[in-house]
Amino acid sequence: MSFGRLGLLGAGFSRLGARKTAAGGGGGVSPVVATFVDVDSSGTDLTVYDFIGVSLGDAEKLVVAIVGRSGGTPTISSVTVHTPDLATDPTGTALSSIAFIQAFGNVAAIFAVNRPSGQATGDIRVTFSTGLVRCGIVTYKMTTYAGTPVIGTSSAAPPTATLDVPANSAVIGVAFNGQMTTCTPTNLSEDHDGQVGGESAAFSAASSNSASGSTVFTLTFAAQTSPVGAFAAFPPS
């Protein structure tokens, strides 16, 4: 793993490359497909994190998976995407919260929005209710989903969720761990596994375009220190 990409606020990750997985269709229903696009993080102590020049993909939906660490009990006040950048679009477009958990001062969350038309890159601002010591994001592009997401959150070791996944759904999971170590997903394909802003903490994101029915998803860190995880299945209808 390399750490060559620097964001505005601190050390960022190198991009790990997009992964495209075809989902099976059936019955005339277009499957929802999630594809990893980009990752960035910061190890700076802040309340508002601006991630600059993030790839948004070219699909109908933008999904942002978020992790963070604090000594308190933070919530996420807002997540906005600014296209083509914060200077040109200071208000931005607000993302909707899909799944959120805070435990041990650690945060894992998933937010989503219709991707701003014609914009392949933009700035993403994550605003917390109180200061954090580090924050990381992963972006996914996703074809349109019409159903209500099926979600699960966990502060177990490992973070685990059993979801009743509708057919043709895309599933995304994200987790934070209080020490740097590798992560192994179950029933998901790993998209990112690395440090948060070059600091001694880890976060992992993984996805699936083939899960269906009652499925157990886990994100298991090799050495688990107060992990938290959020999972969401996005159905077509």
Side-chain angles (χ1 to χ4, degrees):
M1 126 188 26
S2 62
F3 302 96
R5 181 171 184 258
L6 295 181
L8 177 68
L9 300 176
F13 288 116
S14 62
R15 305 176 189 208
L16 303 186
R19 179 184 57 79
K20 297 184 178 180
T21 305
V29 176
S30 296
V32 180
V33 177
T35 305
F36 167 81
V37 180
D38 206 355
V39 60
D40 202 358
S41 71
S42 170
T44 305
D45 294 8
L46 293 166
T47 301
V48 179
Y49 288 85
D50 292 338
F51 298 99
I52 305 303
V54 179
S55 294
L56 309 178
D58 56 3
E60 294 93 337
K61 296 285 187 179
L62 168 67
V63 178
V64 181
I66 303 164
V67 298
R69 186 173 192 176
S70 168
T73 56
T75 60
I76 297 178
S77 302
S78 65
V79 180
T80 49
V81 55
H82 305 257
T83 57
D85 51 42
L86 274 158
T88 306
D89 178 24
T91 301
T93 301
L95 282 73
S96 298
S97 177
I98 304 298
F100 172 86
I101 184 172
Q102 183 281 130
F104 321 113
N106 301 330
V107 168
I110 299 171
F111 279 67
V113 71
N114 291 327
R115 186 180 64 89
S117 179
Q119 299 295 332
T121 62
D123 300 342
I124 293 177
R125 171 170 285 179
V126 183
T127 302
F128 290 90
S129 59
T130 188
L132 270 69
V133 297
R134 59 200 60 140
C135 178
I137 64 168
V138 175
T139 60
Y140 289 86
K141 66 179 184 179
M142 183 179 289
T143 55
T144 294
Y145 64 90
T148 300
V150 179
I151 67 168
T153 60
S154 175
S155 59
T160 303
T162 301
L163 304 183
D164 189 6
V165 181
N168 299 302
S169 296
V171 181
I172 292 173
V174 62
F176 175 91
N177 190 60
Q179 71 178 92
M180 181 55 211
T181 186
T182 57
C183 184
T184 302
T186 302
N187 292 318
L188 297 164
S189 296
E190 182 180 281
D191 297 313
H192 173 74
D193 185 14
Q195 288 178 295
V196 186
E199 300 294 328
S200 57
F203 81 110
S204 180
S207 61
S208 172
N209 293 315
S210 60
S212 183
S214 181
T215 307
V216 178
F217 301 98
T218 63
L219 290 167
T220 304
F221 294 95
Q224 303 188 86
T225 304
S226 304
V228 294
F231 305 82
F234 297 84
S237 60

